[in-house]
Amino acid sequence: MAESDFNALLHAAEQLSAEVDGSRELPKVERSLRQVLEASTELWSRVTQTGAQDLQAHVLLGSKGVDLPQLSQKLETLSTRKTFEPLEPVPEADIQTFLKNELENAILSIIEETNRTSFETAEHRMWDDVNNRWRQEKLKALNALLGSSDEMLGISARPEVSIINDGSISSRSQLDDQQSAYASAVTEYNRLAVQGALRPSLIDRFHDAVRDLHESKAMDLWNMVACMTEIPPQSLGDPLKARATSTVEQTLITQARKFLENRYKVFMRNKVECNLQEARRGGRPGTLPLVICYAKLQQVSVVPGLEEVTVDGQPLWPVVYFCLRSGEPGAALNAASQAGSALEEFVSVLEELEKSPDRRLSTRLEQHLRFHYQRSVRASTDPFKKVVYCALGACDTAEEHTFILKTADDYLWMKLCQIREDNSQQPGSDSITYPHLQSLILEEYGEKHYNASAQPLLYFQMLFLTGQFEAAVEFLSRQDRLRTHAIHIALALSELQLLALPHSIQAPLLSSMPDDRPPLRRLNLARLLMLYVRRFESSDPKEALQYYYFLRNIKTPEGQNLFMLCISDLVMEARNFDLVLGSLSLDGCRIPGLIDSFQGVQADAKQIIELVASEAERKGLLEDAIHLYVLAGNHEKVLTLLTTLLAQVVQQINSPGSVRARLQELAASVSARYEGQHISCSSQTSSAFFTLRDLLTISRAKLIPLSMAEMEERVGNFRRLSDEVCRAVPEVLLATMNILYSMFNHIKTGGTSSYPEHMRDSTKEKVKRIRLQIDIKTGISLYQIKLHFYISFLKKNRNNKFCTMFLFTTLAESEKTITASEVKYVWSDVVELALKNGGWQALWKIPRATCENLKIDFPTVVFVNVQELNCNELSALINIVAVEDDIEVPENHDALLIHLHPTVQQNDASLSIQDIAECLDKLRFFYTHIWQPWDDEDDKSRDWVSNRLEPRMKLFREMQAGVLSSHTVSCIRSLLQEARNLHKHKKLLEMKDTEHSLQPMLKDDCVDDSQEKDIALELMELKLKWDQMCQEIEMIENPSLREKIIKRRQKGQAYHSTGSEQIFIVWNGGNCMELLDLMSKARSVVSESAEIKPCTLMTALNFVEEGCPSSSEVILSAAESCATLVDWAGIRIKFEDLSLSAPVTQALVVVRSGVMNAKNCQFLCDPHNTSTTGVCIMPGGRAELIECAFSDFDAALAVHAGATLTLIRCRLSSCAIGIQVYDGGEVYLKDCLIQNCLEYGIVVRTLQNNIQNTVGSLCLLDSSESVVVESCKMQGNAQGDVFISPMPSNSLLYDINMDSEESSPHPISSKSDLEFEEHSNCSAILT
């Protein structure tokens, strides 16, 4: 038994040994059992010492081939000496090592210090920038609320139609009696100031003006202003700093108390005089009898708690208070003296008070009064005694004394009596300071406490009497009925240097500076005055100028005189140039205007006129600017502006009342005025003006050669012309051609009596003479003139055989023909001449490819600022200013000019935006309808203009005018689109072939010869096909062969029916297995006797006009990248039981015209494609879909203006937008389901500006006439079921047919911007 067990064990050991030997992964074990035991024990001891985490680390790193112990040793040996930490001093006395160590430490310390200071500086600048931006935004908000000026809000003026001096001053003044009285006082004051006479008090002038109006409250207001301004003369420094001095502060307190005390005395006197019988005053004069009578009327004797000491039967302390309140300490002393010896100590206090010039007690007496108040008076029951002690000794300032101090005047008088300069100088004092009282009234109590809206004069008084002039005036200006008084109070204070102004006129109406003492403010007088004057400046300019004169010492941030700037704005607004600025008489002398009344006092009339003229020039009112510059005598500006205007109208027809006639009359007037005078301008400017003036009459200009003898002279003169004249030459030549052509027609019809002898020539001689005028080659590009002439002249005379003969004869006989490669340079010259290099605004229609790269919706239109043109590439560097939707796009782009559409409103009003738009339209038209991508490969020696331009223009006109049938037009478009796609494919293959040929030179690796042969073979096939297609296109462009080629093409593609079933196979090519797979699909759905016809998709659709018979197995899909699967422009197309898919297309089906019917069809899209539209219905198209399904599209259906869509029992799911309807489109939905859209179910874009963005349910469409919904369901749409959004009226809507991008100026971009490619890349079986 044991032996068998041993044998079994031996066998198992041998088997195990064999397995170990046969394994390549594990090493052979060569240890004994004892050695294994010792290794296990050692491993166990390691584990117990290092812990489980170290064990896991060993296992993890060991499995990756990392030796952890060795790695730990390496890490320990690493040195940190190469970091930026300071080095330790070297202990050895080695000089070189020491110096090296010190040098490294110095460098490291410098780096650390620089890093720290750089970080602190960057952070400081960042916060400064944040604060500045916040301050600017805050100022804008405040200025908007306060009715700020255009300068503050940066509102650009809109261009206006120039109407020179047509504004007449209204005879009806908008000033009321109060404003007129103030204006008269202002006028008289300014008159004396201009004359240099001694200026009267402006406050007295205003007081007299109010007194004549018999307004008692206004007189009381000016009495207060007069009292508070009786302070020592101020220097020209900061009024707030002067007001903070102790002398001025004490004077303000004294004057405020004086005003309150005088008014209280008047109040007592009026009270007594109204109740003489009860008062029984008798004939005693003086203040004390008045006070005793007033106390008797007030019945103070019945007040409980009064002391028994009396004066003439009235309690003593009320009499003393009334005397002090009326500002009569002598009367109070007389009353206290009559009380006997009990008040001897208080009598001494009153005696010192009466003798004090500033009505203040000494510090010793004040401390004595406070001590006595704390000891006994505070506990007294007599309230009048406590008030007297508090007023004289500034005791218990927290006590309000409401029983006695019942009015705001009483309260303010008490607080003014308790004010002391500094609490620290008087230990134990609880008095208040002047700034504390100001903060108490302005900030703590404020308008609400004093019910300022109902009692504005009361709150104004509280502010003004506490020295807060700026805050008081600003508050009063916010009251409509008191605003006039506030303005003139501010003017009076400003003339006395008592009004604190901000450092910038851009500040809010009321502001403060960081170094100003709280709570003092600064008043923006300029803003306040301009807001006031603007109410009547148009009707009363004379008075407005008088008010603006107060701003003569204020500068704008740009350093301009505010007075002159206000005059400029007034004149431009009211347009009363002659009244304000003066005019010129017939003899050239200047008739003075209103501004001449200020001549010599910081108001130069000529300087003001030039300022107004420059403002008119900036706004684009160039004719007004010319008249003003004539008035100012600025010859340079007059002739420069006239040259600019004449260059724009010299080619126009001279009709009565036109701009050209008006400018011609103006030029003649200026010429007559300057005749015989020395013109102060450059010779180039005067030469350009007189040349353009003479160009208005072509024969006088001596610029255009009318005979061969004049050629050399005219060419020599042309070299010396200015740019303005050169730019006008093409239009002048065109006008000359039109004139001569009209004369030629007249001569041809026999009307020669009115023409001179030299005009009666043959047609050939006439053509040569006209050609002579075009053949000027100096100063301007010959090709540019010819192309410009061709577009303009042929556009106006496209039906005249003579014009066509003339143009092409001229171009054909020129010394150098225009080849295809030179066309781009011709356009470069045209663009450089017609377009400004930058500074104009446009709408950029972002191409589809760019939208896909930026991951934004297509179409997208953004508002951009054109910064710089690249004429050689016909592109521009643009800066995006605004976008319609909430999208994120980079700020700067390079955009093709054909994608830019200038806007009507421009920041630069002097731009001729009409010329820019016309140039871009011509460029867009040329590269959309005329130029083809393969023209670059045309024969370099051929004249492209005569061989390509004329035939294509004629073909385009016939296609647009309906000369060709719609079926023929569709075939031509199909052929051209197929040619574009084939050309693109050929270019890609040529690029691949070039890359393969360069690979052996760039790399050492071997190249796949088979792949290179495949590319070469395919390229050869494509070139053969391309040559055949080029011949077809050339014959299509030939009018005589066009119709025959189209018929032959239709015959070759659409075979005659043999009576059996016909099968059309649309296939883009492929390998054998793909062809067999396609045939197997065809075999499963068609009969064996069916006739099979391979063709393109559009050929099959054109042949089967009514569409595809139903077949549940038919799948219509795009095998390769293409723009549209079906592009229909016929009568009717019908799909039934089809599946249409587009993995990477941009539009599945486009219905340009006619009707598309679809039933039981599925429209599918690749979910990863973010810009695919299912069915797009163009204007004039109609689609009717029944029981169809859409999924995974960007927009399942797009309905443009003039298109109609009908959906019945259809399902739209998992699209970004279900249905997008533009204004003017019509949609009818019945029993449809729209679900799980990523954005909205239905989006309606309307042009109605009164509609805001609205998101809601289908109920929003109940009142809509364009979208009718019946029994439809909406569920699971992420952002909403229905979204109605207004489109800006100036935005551009682009349909899905992006014809403007079918061609681009070659070779601007290596990537094609084609929006829709040919559908021949589709694979399908149509039965």
Side-chain angles (χ1 to χ4, degrees):
M1 186 67 180
E3 185 177 357
S4 61
D5 291 340
F6 179 77
N7 292 331
L9 181 62
L10 178 60
H11 178 72
E14 290 176 351
Q15 186 177 0
L16 179 61
S17 177
E19 292 177 356
V20 170
D21 293 339
S23 176
R24 296 183 179 180
E25 298 179 357
L26 298 176
K28 197 171 184 178
V29 179
E30 296 181 354
R31 293 185 180 183
S32 63
L33 293 177
R34 183 178 298 277
Q35 290 174 339
V36 171
L37 178 60
E38 291 176 356
S40 301
T41 303
E42 182 182 359
L43 181 60
W44 172 254
S45 62
R46 287 184 183 179
V47 171
T48 56
Q49 291 177 2
T50 58
Q53 292 182 353
D54 289 348
L55 177 61
Q56 293 176 0
H58 278 76
V59 172
L60 175 62
L61 295 177
S63 64
K64 302 297 182 181
V66 179
D67 189 353
L68 187 60
Q70 186 178 3
L71 183 62
S72 301
Q73 294 176 1
K74 291 182 179 180
L75 292 175
E76 290 174 358
T77 59
L78 290 178
S79 174
T80 59
R81 289 176 58 87
K82 296 186 181 297
T83 63
F84 289 149
E85 297 178 1
L87 303 178
E88 296 296 332
V90 179
E92 294 83 358
D94 186 355
I95 296 178
Q96 292 182 354
T97 306
F98 175 77
L99 293 177
K100 180 181 179 181
N101 184 270
E102 289 298 319
L103 177 61
E104 292 177 354
N105 275 325
I107 294 174
L108 293 176
S109 62
I110 292 174
I111 293 174
E112 180 64 26
E113 180 66 20
T114 304
N115 182 35
R116 184 181 60 80
T117 55
S118 299
F119 178 77
E120 291 177 354
T121 303
E123 186 178 19
H124 179 70
R125 290 181 178 178
M126 183 268 292
W127 283 114
D128 284 347
D129 184 68
V130 170
N131 291 332
N132 290 334
R133 290 184 181 182
W134 167 245
R135 190 178 297 111
Q136 291 175 2
E137 294 297 327
K138 182 175 67 175
L139 290 179
K140 287 182 180 180
L142 292 174
N143 293 333
L145 293 175
L146 295 172
S148 59
S149 66
D150 290 353
E151 179 185 1
M152 290 292 301
L153 296 180
I155 301 175
S156 59
R158 301 175 64 180
E160 304 175 17
V161 178
S162 175
I163 304 174
I164 305 170
N165 290 350
D166 65 335
S168 58
I169 305 304
S170 174
S171 60
R172 178 176 297 178
S173 173
Q174 294 185 3
L175 297 174
D176 56 23
D177 294 339
Q178 186 183 85
Q179 293 172 334
S180 299
Y182 277 127
S184 300
V186 167
T187 302
E188 181 63 21
Y189 178 81
N190 287 338
R191 184 183 64 81
L192 296 175
V194 172
Q195 292 177 356
L198 181 64
R199 300 184 187 181
S201 172
L202 189 56
I203 296 178
D204 294 341
R205 291 280 182 180
F206 290 154
H207 188 276
D208 295 341
V210 171
R211 183 175 55 195
D212 295 339
L213 298 175
H214 305 289
E215 295 183 3
S216 59
K217 291 185 178 181
M219 292 177 61
D220 190 36
L221 194 68
W222 282 106
N223 287 332
M224 176 171 41
V225 174
C227 181
M228 290 300 295
T229 54
E230 293 179 3
I231 60 177
Q234 302 298 307
S235 62
L236 297 179
D238 191 349
L240 288 187
K241 293 182 179 179
R243 205 182 303 170
T245 60
S246 59
T247 303
V248 176
E249 193 174 280
Q250 187 59 42
T251 304
L252 290 174
I253 296 172
T254 302
Q255 292 301 114
R257 286 181 56 185
K258 179 181 178 181
F259 174 77
L260 292 173
E261 290 166 353
N262 291 337
R263 188 157 70 175
Y264 195 77
K265 185 187 296 185
V266 173
F267 169 73
M268 288 192 303
R269 184 178 295 112
N270 293 336
K271 184 77 172 178
V272 171
E273 290 177 355
C274 292
N275 300 277
L276 291 176
Q277 186 175 0
E278 298 178 7
R280 299 177 183 179
R281 179 178 179 180
R284 293 181 299 172
T287 304
L288 182 59
L290 175 65
V291 169
I292 292 175
C293 293
Y294 177 74
K296 188 184 300 182
L297 291 175
Q298 294 296 107
Q299 298 180 359
V300 295
S301 59
V302 299
V303 176
L306 297 180
E307 294 185 0
E308 297 180 354
V309 183
T310 61
V311 177
D312 290 344
Q314 296 298 322
L316 172 66
W317 291 109
V319 172
V320 172
Y321 166 72
F322 291 142
C323 290
L324 295 176
R325 179 67 181 83
S326 59
E328 295 290 345
L333 175 63
N334 190 10
S337 300
Q338 297 179 21
S341 59
L343 295 178
E344 290 182 358
E345 188 175 356
F346 187 73
V347 168
S348 63
V349 172
L350 293 177
E351 288 176 350
E352 182 174 338
L353 180 66
E354 185 182 16
K355 296 177 182 179
S356 174
D358 56 352
R359 308 277 296 277
R360 293 278 297 274
L361 296 176
S362 63
T363 305
R364 181 185 61 80
L365 276 180
E366 284 188 354
Q367 291 179 352
H368 178 72
L369 282 178
R370 293 192 189 98
F371 176 76
H372 189 58
Y373 177 82
Q374 294 290 340
R375 183 178 177 183
S376 60
V377 177
R378 188 171 188 177
S380 173
T381 59
D382 193 333
F384 287 97
K385 183 177 182 180
K386 291 196 288 184
V387 168
V388 170
Y389 270 81
C390 289
L392 295 178
C395 309
D396 199 5
T397 57
E399 177 63 38
E400 298 291 340
H401 306 286
T402 56
F403 181 76
I404 298 175
L405 307 179
K406 296 181 179 180
T407 65
D409 285 10
D410 297 335
Y411 171 82
L412 182 59
W413 177 82
M414 173 60 74
K415 293 302 179 183
L416 290 172
C417 292
Q418 293 177 333
I419 288 177
R420 297 297 181 266
E421 292 182 4
D422 194 353
N423 292 337
S424 62
Q425 296 178 2
Q426 302 177 11
S429 172
D430 59 348
S431 60
I432 61 175
T433 61
Y434 198 50
H436 181 205
L437 178 61
Q438 291 174 332
S439 300
L440 191 68
I441 294 175
L442 178 63
E443 297 175 348
E444 294 188 25
Y445 289 159
E447 299 180 19
K448 185 176 180 181
H449 176 80
Y450 292 100
N451 193 14
S453 59
Q455 306 177 85
L457 289 177
L458 173 62
Y459 187 59
F460 169 79
Q461 169 191 304
M462 298 297 290
L463 293 174
F464 201 84
L465 292 178
T466 54
Q468 303 182 82
F469 302 148
E470 295 78 16
V473 171
E474 188 274 336
F475 164 74
L476 202 65
S477 68
R478 286 189 270 123
Q479 316 302 316
D480 291 338
R481 57 190 180 88
L482 299 173
R483 182 177 293 112
T484 303
H485 301 300
I487 300 298
H488 294 86
I489 291 174
L491 292 177
L493 294 174
S494 177
E495 289 296 295
L496 293 174
Q497 302 296 324
L498 294 178
L499 193 68
L501 305 180
H503 297 328
S504 172
I505 62 171
Q506 293 182 349
L509 200 56
L510 198 64
S511 62
S512 62
M513 301 296 294
D515 55 346
D516 293 341
R517 189 187 72 180
L520 296 181
R521 303 287 193 268
R522 295 180 181 271
L523 182 69
N524 194 336
L525 176 64
R527 181 180 300 280
L528 183 66
L529 186 61
M530 287 189 290
L531 290 175
Y532 173 73
V533 175
R534 281 181 181 174
R535 297 169 179 257
F536 58 84
E537 65 178 4
S538 58
S539 61
D540 302 89
K542 181 179 180 180
E543 286 74 12
L545 288 178
Q546 297 293 336
Y547 280 99
Y548 284 145
Y549 185 66
F550 286 97
L551 305 178
R552 61 190 180 277
N553 296 319
I554 300 178
K555 301 289 185 181
T556 65
E558 294 77 17
Q560 292 180 303
N561 187 290
L562 189 57
F563 169 53
M564 298 170 62
L565 198 61
C566 289
I567 294 178
S568 174
D569 293 340
L570 184 150
V571 174
M572 294 304 300
E573 182 69 24
R575 306 191 60 74
N576 41 19
F577 301 102
D578 295 346
L579 176 65
V580 178
L581 304 178
S583 59
L584 287 178
S585 61
L586 296 177
D587 58 358
C589 298
R590 180 174 171 272
I591 301 174
L594 294 178
I595 60 172
D596 291 278
S597 60
F598 305 102
Q599 183 68 29
V601 187
Q602 297 179 343
D604 185 8
K606 181 178 179 181
Q607 189 176 359
I608 293 175
I609 295 172
E610 288 194 346
L611 179 63
V612 178
S614 64
E615 182 67 15
E617 181 183 358
R618 187 185 67 83
K619 291 185 176 182
L621 305 177
L622 300 185
E623 295 181 51
D624 292 342
I626 291 171
H627 280 272
L628 294 172
Y629 281 127
V630 170
L631 188 63
N634 192 331
H635 299 169
E636 180 75 29
K637 276 292 187 179
V638 171
L639 298 186
T640 300
L641 294 180
L642 264 175
T643 301
T644 303
L645 291 177
L646 290 176
Q648 299 176 10
V649 301
V650 68
Q651 78 282 0
Q652 296 179 2
I653 300 175
N654 190 11
S655 58
S658 64
V659 178
R660 186 182 188 275
R662 191 167 69 242
L663 289 176
Q664 186 173 3
E665 182 181 353
L666 179 58
S669 173
V670 170
S671 301
R673 186 179 299 279
Y674 289 169
E675 186 176 359
Q677 298 183 17
H678 173 68
I679 302 178
S680 302
C681 67
S682 63
S683 59
Q684 184 179 5
T685 301
S686 59
S687 174
F689 165 69
F690 289 116
T691 302
L692 285 172
R693 182 201 62 180
D694 294 340
L695 271 178
L696 298 175
T697 305
I698 295 176
S699 59
R700 289 179 51 191
K702 297 182 180 180
L703 180 64
I704 301 174
L706 299 178
S707 65
M708 290 299 297
E710 297 176 350
M711 171 60 75
E712 294 299 328
E713 179 186 357
R714 300 297 185 260
V715 171
N717 293 336
F718 192 83
R719 294 191 181 99
R720 295 186 291 271
L721 295 179
S722 63
D723 292 341
E724 290 82 2
V725 179
C726 289
R727 292 179 183 178
V729 167
E731 296 292 347
V732 174
L733 293 177
L734 181 60
T736 306
M737 290 161 50
N738 288 325
I739 293 172
L740 293 176
Y741 174 63
S742 300
M743 295 169 66
F744 168 78
N745 280 341
H746 195 64
I747 294 173
K748 187 177 179 180
T749 56
T752 60
S753 58
S754 60
Y755 294 101
E757 186 67 26
H758 69 274
M759 299 301 296
R760 305 172 188 174
D761 298 327
S762 63
T763 304
K764 183 177 179 180
E765 189 66 25
K766 182 63 64 178
V767 172
K768 288 183 178 180
R769 187 167 298 169
I770 300 174
R771 175 184 177 274
L772 181 64
Q773 299 154 68
I774 299 179
D775 209 11
I776 300 175
K777 307 179 183 67
T778 308
I780 195 166
S781 172
L782 172 67
Y783 316 120
Q784 167 189 314
I785 294 180
K786 290 178 179 178
L787 189 60
H788 177 78
F789 282 176
Y790 182 81
I791 295 174
S792 302
F793 194 54
L794 187 59
K795 190 175 181 181
K796 296 179 180 179
N797 307 281
R798 61 178 60 180
N799 296 323
N800 290 321
K801 194 175 293 185
F802 172 80
C803 300
T804 306
M805 178 191 67
F806 153 69
L807 287 169
F808 289 104
T809 301
T810 303
L811 295 174
E813 294 180 1
S814 61
E815 296 179 3
K816 183 179 179 181
T817 59
I818 301 179
T819 62
S821 59
E822 294 171 341
V823 170
K824 179 183 175 183
Y825 301 108
V826 175
W827 274 113
S828 298
D829 292 338
V830 174
V831 168
E832 185 177 5
L833 180 66
L835 270 60
K836 186 180 178 183
N837 189 35
W840 46 280
Q841 292 71 47
L843 294 177
W844 180 36
K845 186 212 61 179
I846 304 179
R848 183 184 290 271
T850 307
C851 289
E852 291 180 354
N853 293 334
L854 297 176
K855 297 181 180 179
I856 59 178
D857 292 336
F858 176 83
T860 297
V861 180
V862 297
F863 183 67
V864 300
N865 184 32
V866 179
Q867 295 181 334
E868 184 179 358
L869 293 181
N870 186 351
C871 297
N872 292 333
E873 298 298 330
L874 298 180
S875 64
L877 176 63
I878 60 174
N879 175 262
I880 295 180
V881 178
V883 297
E884 288 188 8
D885 301 323
D886 188 14
I887 58 176
E888 294 183 2
V889 293
E891 188 174 353
N892 295 320
H893 286 272
D894 281 323
L896 299 182
L897 293 178
I898 60 176
H899 298 155
L900 297 179
H901 301 262
T903 57
V904 176
Q905 298 179 3
Q906 295 287 325
N907 294 339
D908 187 357
S910 63
L911 274 178
S912 180
I913 197 62
Q914 186 68 26
D915 295 340
I916 296 178
E918 288 181 359
C919 178
L920 291 181
D921 283 342
K922 295 173 183 176
L923 180 68
R924 195 160 29 246
F925 168 82
F926 179 82
Y927 279 104
T928 300
H929 302 289
I930 305 302
W931 181 264
Q932 298 297 344
W934 54 84
D935 284 344
D936 256 342
E937 304 169 3
D938 210 343
D939 187 3
K940 304 300 181 182
S941 62
R942 298 178 61 184
D943 187 0
W944 186 87
V945 174
S946 58
N947 292 317
R948 292 285 182 263
L949 187 57
E950 181 190 10
R952 290 178 183 174
M953 285 288 292
K954 187 172 183 180
L955 175 61
F956 175 77
R957 288 200 304 271
E958 290 180 358
M959 293 173 65
Q960 292 295 109
V963 177
L964 303 178
S965 64
S966 60
H967 187 72
T968 302
V969 171
S970 178
C971 291
I972 294 175
R973 286 180 176 172
S974 175
L975 175 64
L976 293 177
Q977 189 64 52
E978 186 177 354
R980 294 189 188 104
N981 294 333
L982 189 61
H983 181 267
K984 177 184 175 182
H985 193 192
K986 183 170 71 72
K987 285 292 184 182
L988 293 176
L989 284 178
E990 289 175 349
M991 290 176 59
K992 289 182 180 180
D993 185 51
T994 303
E995 292 175 0
H996 279 286
S997 62
L998 292 176
Q999 279 183 358
M1001 296 184 293
L1002 300 176
K1003 297 182 180 180
D1004 296 334
D1005 302 336
C1006 60
V1007 183
D1008 189 353
D1009 294 336
S1010 61
Q1011 185 178 2
E1012 185 176 356
K1013 291 179 180 179
D1014 292 341
I1015 294 176
L1017 183 60
E1018 186 178 358
L1019 184 58
M1020 185 180 299
E1021 294 176 354
L1022 269 181
K1023 287 184 176 180
L1024 292 175
K1025 187 176 180 181
W1026 173 249
D1027 292 339
Q1028 180 183 358
M1029 186 166 290
C1030 285
Q1031 293 176 3
E1032 241 179 282
I1033 292 175
E1034 288 187 4
M1035 288 187 285
I1036 285 288
E1037 292 176 353
N1038 190 324
S1040 59
L1041 300 176
R1042 185 178 303 143
E1043 198 66 32
K1044 295 180 180 180
I1045 295 299
I1046 293 174
K1047 290 181 179 180
R1048 187 186 65 80
R1049 182 177 175 86
Q1050 293 173 355
K1051 275 188 178 181
Q1053 293 179 347
Y1055 300 103
H1056 294 287
S1057 175
T1058 59
S1060 59
E1061 184 180 6
Q1062 299 182 33
I1063 304 298
F1064 295 90
I1065 296 181
V1066 182
W1067 187 45
N1068 193 44
N1071 55 37
C1072 182
M1073 294 304 297
E1074 292 176 349
L1075 179 60
L1076 292 176
D1077 183 53
L1078 183 61
M1079 292 298 101
S1080 63
K1081 288 183 179 180
R1083 185 175 182 181
S1084 62
V1085 297
V1086 300
S1087 61
E1088 296 181 357
S1089 61
E1091 182 181 355
I1092 299 177
K1093 302 174 181 178
C1095 63
T1096 62
L1097 176 61
M1098 286 308 298
T1099 301
L1101 294 179
N1102 287 327
F1103 183 79
V1104 192
E1105 184 74 11
E1106 289 297 326
C1108 308
S1110 62
S1111 175
S1112 59
E1113 298 297 328
V1114 175
I1115 300 175
L1116 188 61
S1117 64
E1120 296 182 3
S1121 174
C1122 60
T1124 57
L1125 186 62
V1126 178
D1127 192 342
W1128 183 252
I1131 300 176
R1132 178 182 296 272
I1133 184 172
K1134 180 178 180 182
F1135 298 113
E1136 187 172 352
D1137 298 330
L1138 289 178
S1139 294
L1140 294 88
S1141 63
V1144 291
T1145 56
Q1146 299 163 354
L1148 199 60
V1149 179
V1150 178
V1151 182
R1152 300 187 183 275
S1153 62
V1155 181
M1156 185 199 84
N1157 296 102
K1159 183 177 181 182
N1160 193 25
C1161 294
Q1162 291 187 356
F1163 297 83
L1164 308 175
C1165 178
D1166 185 1
H1168 300 290
N1169 194 338
T1170 59
S1171 61
T1172 302
T1173 302
V1175 177
C1176 180
I1177 312 166
M1178 306 303 297
R1182 184 158 58 96
E1184 299 175 357
L1185 292 84
I1186 301 175
E1187 298 177 353
C1188 295
F1190 293 80
S1191 61
D1192 299 319
F1193 288 96
D1194 177 58
L1197 297 111
V1199 184
H1200 290 261
T1204 305
L1205 170 65
T1206 301
L1207 291 182
I1208 300 176
R1209 298 187 298 278
C1210 294
R1211 184 178 73 257
L1212 286 66
S1213 60
S1214 302
C1215 300
I1217 297 174
I1219 304 175
Q1220 182 153 328
V1221 186
Y1222 291 96
D1223 195 87
E1226 297 183 359
V1227 177
Y1228 173 72
L1229 306 178
K1230 182 177 181 182
D1231 298 330
C1232 295
L1233 173 63
I1234 304 177
Q1235 61 182 357
N1236 302 330
C1237 291
L1238 301 180
E1239 296 180 11
Y1240 304 99
I1242 300 177
V1243 175
V1244 180
R1245 303 283 187 180
T1246 178
L1247 290 174
Q1248 300 180 13
N1249 294 328
N1250 57 349
I1251 296 180
Q1252 302 295 329
N1253 289 341
T1254 308
V1255 179
S1257 63
L1258 288 174
C1259 298
L1260 293 176
L1261 302 175
D1262 291 344
S1263 60
S1264 176
E1265 297 180 358
S1266 59
V1267 182
V1268 179
V1269 180
E1270 294 183 8
S1271 305
C1272 294
K1273 293 183 180 180
M1274 312 279 282
Q1275 60 186 21
N1277 300 313
Q1279 299 184 18
D1281 293 337
V1282 178
F1283 176 53
I1284 300 178
S1285 173
M1287 295 181 298
S1289 58
N1290 61 346
S1291 66
L1292 300 180
L1293 291 179
Y1294 298 94
D1295 57 33
I1296 201 166
N1297 179 22
M1298 297 298 171
D1299 289 336
S1300 62
E1301 298 180 14
E1302 289 181 357
S1303 301
S1304 60
H1306 55 291
I1308 295 177
S1309 174
S1310 59
K1311 183 174 182 179
S1312 174
D1313 287 328
L1314 294 181
E1315 296 297 339
F1316 293 98
E1317 301 173 359
E1318 174 57 21
H1319 23 260
S1320 60
N1321 291 335
C1322 304
S1323 297
I1325 304 171
L1326 301 181
T1327 62

